[in-house]
Structure formats: structure tokens, C-alpha cells
Amino acid sequence: MIVPLKRLLGEGFRVFFLAAGLYGVFAILVWTGWLGIHAAGGSFADDPFAMPPHLWHAHEMIFGFPTAALGGFFLTAVPNWTGAKAARHLYIGAAAALWLAGRIAIWFSADLSPVFVAVVDLSFLPFLGMKIATQLVKRPKPQNMMFLGLLAIIWVGDWMIHLEWIGVTDDTAWAGFRVGLFGICAMIAVLGGRVTPAFTRNALMRKGQETALPVSRRWAEMTGVGGAILLPLALIVGMPETVTGGIALMTGAAQIVRLSGWRSVHTLGEPIVWALHAGFALLGTGYILFGLADLGIGSEIAALHVLGIGAVGGMTLAVMSRAALGHTGRPLVAPHAVAFAYALLPLAALLRWTASSLDFQWYYPGIFVSGALWIAAFALFVAALWPAFWSEKLRSGGA
């Protein structure tokens, strides 16, 4: 058991991607289970967490599940970008323990001091940020250093929530949830905007295609990235909804224009590539729906779930599975179970959007089926890639 555990903690993607997959299943099982009991007319006498269940759900799906994926990504990618030494077992184990401690503190927050809960929950991102900062300064390119700022934005969103839960403020949690989500979406706008066309180009060239390769439009790149960063900042300072709605519409349109140049139709035969395109498409769609909701058209909650399920969930699943295969020497071909999981998340996002946008009679069926699809997708991911997380790297296969 010691050797497999040492291997699990030997590379950041192993423990954190596995944690993200497992927690993605657990958190939605808890949420849909609670909703099912509530829909049937039942209730719990006491919840272990101090906040209402829907806020526990929102917090953990923004600051729990995705931050594990970010930890695995940055601890793996940054050393490759900079040539710095990768984090060692002790650091990776400590970071994973700190992330887990945050989840436990939130879960048992009803019996803990809110200040203690805040301190524990808010510790992981700075701990991660300090490590990757020491690696980034080895080769301090602005396009990479900016990720420290995006991590800070996500952290500020969580801090705003805890300020209200502690009792320091009266109305910062609502904005904090959105700041955190849109901070993560900004990560996707930047990282997804890099890897999606690059991996698509590589896949097409491997097939011998020399024309109709992905192209970038500079104005759309600048608008899509700039708007994605500007939106959570506007939410932090409390800009009016007409302003945030306009920013979101502009940002979403820019993402769709960016995607239109990346030859999505040519990737349909390679699930591990088209999954990136699907996640990015839902990113742009979610921004547009949120912008319309801020201007009084449509449901904001529905728009936020398109972003959370389709963009964050979809892009996270696509990147984690690709990285896990590639960094363990396996072929960059999605196992059938993972390819099926890719298809489940866009459908889950559509059903969740429908549940909040249409007649109330579809609310619970839409949520339960959407939740089941999410659970199935991440359960398939964990099951299919379990050997990759625990086993030695293969000598040949992925890049």
C-alpha cells in the first residue's frame, strides 16, 4: 500500500484529478439525495453544515471540485512550462490534505467556529499559489504569471462568502459565488483558448491534414480573455447588472467567434479533442445566457448551471482525462467509458437549464436526471482512469 500511495502523491495530477472525480460524484450524490427527500416531503432534523443545503452545494461545486482540478493541472503543467523542479511528495501530500481539510471543515461547519472554517477553507489556494509562484519565476512570462491573479480572484470570491457567513458583512456571499465561478470561467477562457486550438491542430496534422487548420482572430482572443477577467472584477466592486450583463454578452460572443476558427467539425471522430470544443462552446453559451439574464431575459440560475456543468464540468473532464493519459504514457485516445462521459455533460447542462427555465413541473425531473448524468460521467472517469492514477508510467503511448 505504501508504494501505490507514494506513486499517487508523486505527481500532482494523480491525487488531485482523482480527488476531483471522486468529489464530483460525492457532492452531487449528496445534493440530489437531499433534493429527493425534500421533494418527497421529508426533511433532515439537522444538517452537518451551517449554511443552507443549496449554499453548501454551490460552494463545493465552485470552491471544492474545481479547485482540486486546478491543483492537479498547475502542479503538473507549470514545471513543464518553466523547467522548474516539480513539487515533491511531501508538498503534494500536504496540499491534498489541506484541500480535503477545507471540504471537511465546510461539511461539519454547524459544529465549528465560522472563523475556523474560513481559515481552513481559505488556506488551500494561497498554499497552491505560493508553490506555483516559485516555479513561475524561473521563467516569468506574463501570459503564465497571470494565472496567479486568476487564482487570487477565485480566492476573493470565497473570502467574500466567508465574510457573510462569519457575520462581518450582510450581503457579500451572493456576489462571492459568482466571482468564484467567473474566476474559474476566466481560467477556462485562457487555458481552453490555448489548448483547444493547439491540440486540434496536432490531431489534424497527425491525420495528414495540412489545410483548414485552426486559426485565431486576435481581436476575439483579446476580447474573450479580457472580458472574462473583467467580469469577476466588475462583480467584486458591485457594478450594476446592466454593466455586468453587457460584459458577459461581449465575452460570450467573443468565445463563440474564437471557437468558430478552430475547425470543430473536423474533430468529431476524436472524442478527446471534441470534448474540449464542447466545453468551450458551453462556456460561450453560458456567458451569453448570463448576460441576457442580467438584462432581464431568462433565468440567471439556469445560465450559471450551463457554465458550472457544461463549461467547468465539461472542460475539466476533458483536460483531466487527456492529462492523465498523456502523463502516464498512455495513448491519447479516450477510453470508451470516458468518451461516453464526455457526451453526458452537455446533456446534463441542457437538462439543468431546462429545469430552471421552463414550467415548474419539469424542475425536479430535470435536476434529478441532470444530476444522474453528472454522477455517471465522473464515475466513468474515475473507473476508467483508476489504473492510470495508481500505476507506474508506461514506457510508450501518450505524449
Side-chain angles (χ1 to χ4, degrees), residues 179-206:
V179 169
L181 176 59
F182 282 109
I184 295 167
C185 288
M187 286 280 191
I188 295 173
V190 176
L191 289 170
R194 291 185 190 181
V195 303
T196 304
F199 291 160
T200 302
R201 176 181 294 272
N202 293 343
L204 295 180
M205 293 182 70
R206 281 197 299 270

Side-chain angles (χ1 to χ4, degrees), residues 21-92:
L22 290 171
Y23 199 65
V25 172
F26 168 78
I28 298 302
L29 273 173
V30 170
W31 173 237
T32 53
W34 183 89
L35 275 180
I37 292 172
H38 179 75
S43 64
F44 290 99
D46 295 294
D47 292 315
F49 33 80
M51 65 290 300
H54 69 283
L55 295 185
W56 174 86
H57 163 69
H59 185 274
E60 294 306 280
M61 297 313 294
I62 296 173
F63 302 103
F65 160 76
T67 57
L70 288 175
F73 177 84
F74 283 121
L75 290 175
T76 305
V78 174
N80 291 335
W81 296 344
T82 64
K85 289 184 178 180
R88 301 179 69 86
H89 296 80
L90 183 61
Y91 174 84
I92 294 173

Side-chain angles (χ1 to χ4, degrees), residues 9-29:
L9 298 177
E11 297 172 278
F13 76 89
R14 292 178 183 266
V15 63
F16 278 109
F17 287 175
L18 178 58
L22 290 171
Y23 199 65
V25 172
F26 168 78
I28 298 302
L29 273 173

Side-chain angles (χ1 to χ4, degrees), residues 159-220:
W159 174 69
M160 293 169 69
I161 294 167
H162 281 288
L163 284 180
E164 182 171 331
W165 286 352
I166 292 170
V168 175
T169 62
D170 294 325
D171 58 354
T172 55
W174 181 94
F177 285 117
R178 285 147 183 82
V179 169
L181 176 59
F182 282 109
I184 295 167
C185 288
M187 286 280 191
I188 295 173
V190 176
L191 289 170
R194 291 185 190 181
V195 303
T196 304
F199 291 160
T200 302
R201 176 181 294 272
N202 293 343
L204 295 180
M205 293 182 70
R206 281 197 299 270
K207 294 193 299 184
Q209 185 168 323
E210 298 180 357
T211 60
L213 296 174
V215 296
S216 296
R217 300 175 175 89
R218 183 169 176 78
W219 68 266

Side-chain angles (χ1 to χ4, degrees), residues 248-285:
L249 286 174
M250 173 191 70
T251 304
Q255 312 307 346
I256 298 300
V257 172
R258 296 171 77 191
L259 181 63
S260 70
W262 295 345
R263 315 305 184 195
S264 300
V265 69
H266 295 279
T267 70
L268 296 179
E270 296 198 40
I272 204 165
V273 181
W274 70 247
L276 296 167
H277 289 253
F280 207 87
L282 288 164
L283 178 72
T285 302

Side-chain angles (χ1 to χ4, degrees), residues 216-231:
S216 296
R217 300 175 175 89
R218 183 169 176 78
W219 68 266
E221 300 291 328
M222 295 180 65
T223 303
V225 171
I229 297 172
L230 182 60
L231 182 54

